[in-house]
Structures are given as C-alpha cells and as structure tokens.
Amino acid sequence: MSLVWLYGSREDPSLVEEMRSSLATDFPDIKVGNITHWGGGGRNYQYFIQLTAENLPKGSHYEYTTDGWQGYLEFHLEAEPGDENFKRLKKIGIRLTHALENTPVTCEQRGRLPFGTFYFSNGGIRSMKDFVDRFKELYNIITPNLNAIDKKVVEVTLQGKPPQSEEPLKGPIENNQEVTSEIMPLKKVMGLRLWLPDYQRDYCWEERNITDLWKNLLKIQKDKPFHLGTLILHANTEKGVYDIIDGQQRLVTLSLILWGFGYDGNLPLLSAEYTLPESIRNIGNSKFIIKSLIERSENREDLLDNILKEVSFAVLVVNGSNLDLAYTFFNNQNSKGVPLSDFDLLKAHHLRFIPGKEGGQAEHMAKKWNTVSSLPPSYGEANSLARVLGTHLYRLRKWMRRKDSDENSYRYVQHEFQAAPIIPDIPPFGEQFRFYEKIQGGTHFFVYVETFIQRYEQFCKLEPVKLLRKNLSESRYETFADSIETLLFGYYLKFGNQYIAEALFCIARLMALYRYNSYAVASSGVGVREFANNSEIILMIDQATSPTFFLAEVLGKFDSYTNGDYPIRTGLDLDEARGVRWGIYTALRNIFRDPKLEITDSYILHKIFEEYGRK
C-alpha cells in the first residue's frame, strides 16, 4: 500500500498493520498508533501516525505524516507551557540539538519549545521500505542520544514542604561530661533534633559560598571520608533539642542540597522559619543556585550516596546549662564557611549575660539584633550597624581616651565593645547611653547599640551631612570626609542639630589644615585619624556645656595651628590649582556656598566669606 495516499475511512487498518509488522522484528518496543487527522479536510496532508515507546520521555514520539505527494518522518517533543513536563522537554530539546549538531538531522521549533521537531531534510518517503529505512536511520541517531540526555535531565523544584521522614529524630543524651566530641557522618547529624535558637544569626550564604561548598562535594570519592569542619551544638535538655552554636550555614545549605537530590530522610533544619527579608532572599537565591547545580550534575545517585556516607563533621556538644563554654568554642571557631564577623561574636558574647536564654529577654534582644544586622546600606556598602559601631563610635571612644583608632587591627570592633569587667558584688548603675561609657554585658549593650543607630539614622537626614557626602564622596577624599563625619556625629550626639552647619564648618576647616599642609598621606587614612585624635576636637565637644564654647575653642585651635606647624591656612594659599589638595578646597567651597546650608551665626558666616567667597 502506498504511504502517500490514505484513502477511505481515514482509519485504514491495513496501513497500520503493515507498519507494525515491518517494525516488529527490529523495533519490538515501538507501538504504532492509529491514523489520525486534523480537521475535516479531504486531503492526505492532514493525516498522521504516531509511533511511541516506553523508553521515550513522556511527551515525545516519532511521527509519520504526508503532504499528498510524499511522506515524512519526524521526532517530536510536545508540551505546552502549562504542562508539568514542559520545562523538562525544553531542556531535553536544547541538549538534543547540541548533541545532533554534526548529524544530518535538522532541528526546528515546535509550538513554544525552541527545539521540538527533529527530521531529515533530504527527500521524502514513497514506500514502506523507504519508511523502514528512514525510521531505522532516525531512530539510531535520536534514541541513543535521547536516552543519555534523559538520564541527565532532572527537574529540581525545591518548592513546597520537604518530605518528612518517619524515622524519629534523636534529642540530647544526658551524661556527666561538660563536652563530648564525636566524628559524625552527615546522615547521622541530620538524624539529630537540630534547632536554630532565636539568638543565632540568620542565613547569609551567597552564591560564592554555595558554589565553593558544591565544588568540595564534587571531589568526594567513595570510601574516602571527607571532613567538612566542626559543628558546635548545645544540648538544650529543657527543649529536648540541639541548639546550633556554629555550623548553621553549612547545615542549612546541605539540607537544601539533599532535598534537591530527592533525599527522603530527616532534614530537620528545613522546618525552621526565617523572618528577616535578607534571609528570605538568601534562602530563595540558594534554592535557585542549588537547583541549577544539581540539574547540571551527572551521576546524581552516586553523588548523593557519597555526600550522605562520606561527609563528616567533628561534632562538639556542650551539655547542660554551661552555655558560656559553648560560646567560648564559638568565639575561637574557624570552621569552613562564612567567617564570623565581629558583630556575630558580639551578639553571642552579650547574650551570655542575659539570664533565661530559653526565652524572654534573650530571644527579644536577638531578634532586634538580627533586624539591625540586616539594615540596608546607609553609606557605601556599610549599613547603620557597621557605621555606628565599626566606624563612628569606635573612633569617638578611642579619641576620648587619646588613643589612636587602629582600624586595621584584628577584631577591633569586637574587642572595643565587649563587656567591661566589674566587681561582682557591686552592680553597675548610672548608665546614660553616652558613647564613651563602659559597656555593660547583656541587655544594656543591645539597647546601647539600638539607641545610637536611631540617632545615626536621624543624623544622616541632616542637610550638612548630605552635602558633606555629596561633595566629598570621591574615593581620594573618602578617608578625609569620613573623619569629619565622625567628629560631626560626636557633636550631634552632644548638641543635636543646634548650630550643626556652623560645627561642620569649624571641624572641616581645622581638619583641612592637615591635608593642605601634607603633600602625601597614607591612603588608609591613618594620618587623618591621628590628626583628628590629636586635635582633641571630641574632648572639646564633651567638655563644652553649649555649642558656643565648642565653636569658639575650635576657631582658636585653628589659629594656633596656623601659627605653628600648619602655615597653609586655606586652599587659596596652595601653590597649585589642581590635585587632591586643591580638590579638597573646591569640594569644601561647594559645601559652604550651597544655598541649602543654613548658617545663622554672622561671625562664622563672615569666616566662610573670607575663605570661600559669598554664596
């Protein structure tokens, strides 16, 4: 029978039977469907026959069709965007196209799939022999490549709730030892009743951290243990859980990876709730990255098996109520992952001083700390917490004691804001939340930080601060502007926004002397900060009972400096009209001639006219 003309009832059984018998010997897995047609037209090009097999991906088949003159054989991937199989067939089609690049098979779009139709473009089919030969040729090219690709393509959703294992989790085991240690495989760790206490930092891993871990996992070999650092757990016997002191980031990421692989064992950390926007974004980003990594991976079953069996941790468990000991390990831990910041360590350090760590004040303060830790950048890449503790208050506290601010020293923020020692029997009292007061351990520290962050965020809204940042934002002026901002913040903490524009002029004018009279300065800003310290500006602020005393003293300090070691009083005295020193002068001139800057004191206004001209 001719394969070109399909006469009669449009369901001619003899043609289908002839196809089946012709393919039965060489292709017993192929099932030949019935003749089907589109619409009600009368010409053969509307007719087609589908050929399917169990080993083909769902939504794919071979298909014979005619145009009235000759027949054609094609391989089709068919799915609509709403179909649950659409994304998978799209990936198969793209990979199959690449695999067939050097073959005579042509690839075209089908529906909304970018590569969904595969066929030979050299001639048609006019007999059953042509059909069998062409099918054999296309099948032997498509099917081996398709089977290899189909095994590699997997849909990783990481959506909804992860599977819950029926195997019970193990809670803390009572013993008399303060600390126990054990090398545990990952599967055993996931069998513990792990818990993220509220005072822990939220999830912060980004793409670099996840891909670094993934690259390490790919190096794992069967029967060769792969050590992945130390975990520090606190056996919280009251709740019956193991609080994670260190290791949260690694364990959460590994939990997501196991879930992506389809692991159906215990994954206790995937029941944790994250509330901070940054953590929610990081979790979502991690799912996307892990999904992509798993979908591109090969030998997934072997990789999952290796991860579960070969990955191990040195697990330190601090038992009972000795949480201080856990934090001692935490502070000294240097395991793989994101290094603990000074702010992480301060949080852990001060939570030690709050009684009742299982709830109440500790959880409340930890949540508030997590909120300020996740504030968006307020200046450059630093948020308000980093600017307040890591820059302004750190410097002001040092300068109040006439000490240099060594911002290159290890853990300088952590060391400065640790709890000050006390005599046990004499309670601390009299706190006024002055920036230079001794740091009390516990709740006082968290309130201290929150208080100054609120003041700082109000400070940032002031016009003099905006103008300072706008005009001295270039990197070559950054350390100079930064020190001026620190001193101005110290003034604001004492006097608020009273005469703050005048204060900016007096501080900036005095600080500019250092730059005008120095041909070269350290790019790290050490010299600028040393000058700020030696100028005693912050001591003048503290000792002044009114802005007038401070402003007058700074103006007097300027005169004494220019009569001694700093003869260049203003940028107009420079022997240049370009370069960094002249740039500082022009930037300051732009600030003090800006109409938005309100100077109300006539004496200081006159000084501005002398130095920068009228507005």
Side-chain angles (χ1 to χ4, degrees), residues 145-186:
N145 284 290
L146 187 65
N147 289 339
I149 291 168
D150 190 29
K151 292 178 182 178
K152 295 178 181 178
V153 174
V154 61
E155 273 298 300
V156 180
T157 61
L158 288 173
Q159 300 298 323
K161 293 184 178 180
Q164 298 293 319
S165 173
E166 296 182 359
E167 184 180 349
L169 295 166
K170 294 182 181 179
I173 300 173
E174 296 279 2
N175 60 49
N176 297 322
Q177 294 179 289
E178 278 193 312
V179 179
T180 58
S181 63
E182 179 182 348
I183 301 298
M184 286 189 189
L186 176 61

Side-chain angles (χ1 to χ4, degrees), residues 224-244:
K224 291 187 178 181
F226 190 86
H227 187 64
L228 206 55
T230 302
L231 303 177
I232 302 174
L233 309 177
H234 170 231
N236 188 331
T237 53
E238 293 186 24
K239 285 189 174 183
V241 298
Y242 288 102
D243 287 337
I244 299 175

Side-chain angles (χ1 to χ4, degrees), residues 10-180:
R10 300 174 180 164
E11 297 179 3
D12 190 335
S14 61
L15 175 60
V16 173
E17 288 303 321
E18 187 175 353
M19 280 189 174
R20 287 173 181 164
S21 61
S22 298
L23 297 175
T25 301
D26 293 330
F27 304 100
D29 57 320
I30 293 295
K31 296 180 179 180
V32 180
N34 294 321
I35 301 174
T36 311
H37 64 90
W38 298 287
R43 277 297 181 185
N44 337 34
Y45 65 83
Q46 295 178 313
Y47 294 81
F48 63 92
I49 301 171
Q50 289 188 352
L51 300 95
T52 60
E54 291 184 359
N55 66 336
L56 295 177
K58 182 181 178 182
S60 67
H61 57 264
Y62 291 92
E63 185 169 304
Y64 173 79
T65 185
T66 72
D67 63 3
W69 299 100
Q70 58 187 345
Y72 298 96
L73 183 65
E74 300 174 342
F75 176 74
H76 291 172
L77 299 172
E78 292 186 359
E80 290 299 316
D83 190 325
E84 63 180 9
N85 207 34
F86 177 80
K87 290 182 179 179
R88 188 164 186 274
L89 287 183
K90 181 178 179 181
K91 291 177 182 177
I92 289 176
I94 292 172
R95 293 190 182 193
L96 185 57
T97 301
H98 291 308
L100 302 180
E101 186 175 6
N102 296 318
T103 71
V105 175
T106 299
C107 313
E108 286 186 358
Q109 180 175 341
R110 183 168 191 81
R112 298 190 184 182
L113 288 170
F115 302 103
T117 299
F118 302 82
Y119 62 94
F120 293 121
S121 58
N122 56 342
I125 298 170
R126 292 183 172 275
S127 67
M128 186 60 68
K129 182 178 184 305
D130 286 347
F131 167 75
V132 173
D133 291 343
R134 184 56 57 89
F135 182 83
K136 184 180 296 186
E137 186 180 4
L138 186 63
Y139 183 93
N140 289 338
I141 293 175
I142 295 284
T143 302
N145 284 290
L146 187 65
N147 289 339
I149 291 168
D150 190 29
K151 292 178 182 178
K152 295 178 181 178
V153 174
V154 61
E155 273 298 300
V156 180
T157 61
L158 288 173
Q159 300 298 323
K161 293 184 178 180
Q164 298 293 319
S165 173
E166 296 182 359
E167 184 180 349
L169 295 166
K170 294 182 181 179
I173 300 173
E174 296 279 2
N175 60 49
N176 297 322
Q177 294 179 289
E178 278 193 312
V179 179
T180 58

